[in-house]
Amino acid sequence: MFFAVAKFTFEASGKEGSDDRKELRNLVEKIRARFKVSCAIVSKEEDEGSAAIAVAALGSTEEGLDKSLDGIAEFCENSGFGRIESEQTLLDHIDALDDYLEDDTQN
């Protein structure tokens, strides 16, 4: 079993106000429903006009999970909200958490 946490940052849109925030919330809801993942707005930089969402997902294979994240990125690009400026992803096997917890208890 693999887990992934990804942050997708959109280019500054130049849009202002609650309409932009509402569009972003709608996009998050569509991602949750379509891809069966956890998704949330993680930042909205009012000064720069950029926005970011975070996605957390589980998958039985690394390739399948990678494919899902690629699908989410493509879905975001095609949604009309804006172009993705950057993507940061942490993807690892769930057993890696055991190693992390063991290191944490030894310190």
Side-chain angles (χ1 to χ4, degrees):
M1 180 70 62
F2 290 85
F3 70 93
V5 179
K7 180 180 178 184
F8 298 97
T9 304
F10 295 91
E11 288 182 345
S13 65
K15 296 180 184 177
E16 294 182 19
S18 62
D19 287 342
D20 191 32
R21 185 85 171 165
K22 185 177 179 180
E23 285 181 43
L24 189 56
R25 278 191 301 241
N26 287 338
L27 177 60
V28 164
E29 289 301 321
K30 288 176 184 177
I31 291 169
R32 286 179 185 156
R34 182 171 181 160
F35 295 96
K36 306 293 187 233
V37 296
S38 295
C39 186
I41 300 169
V42 293
S43 69
K44 173 73 173 109
E45 302 298 331
E46 299 297 335
D47 297 337
E48 298 175 17
S50 63
I53 60 172
V55 175
L58 293 173
S60 56
T61 66
E62 187 173 0
E63 295 81 18
L65 197 50
D66 215 13
K67 186 177 177 182
S68 291
L69 292 175
D70 289 343
I72 292 169
E74 184 177 339
F75 183 78
C76 288
E77 291 268 337
N78 295 332
S79 71
F81 181 78
R83 187 171 174 187
I84 295 177
E85 181 179 340
S86 68
E87 177 184 344
Q88 298 169 313
T89 303
L90 168 65
L91 193 142
D92 207 343
H93 195 276
I94 201 83
D95 290 340
L97 291 175
D98 288 338
D99 296 336
Y100 172 77
L101 292 173
E102 286 176 8
D103 290 344
D104 193 40
T105 57
Q106 292 176 358
N107 293 329

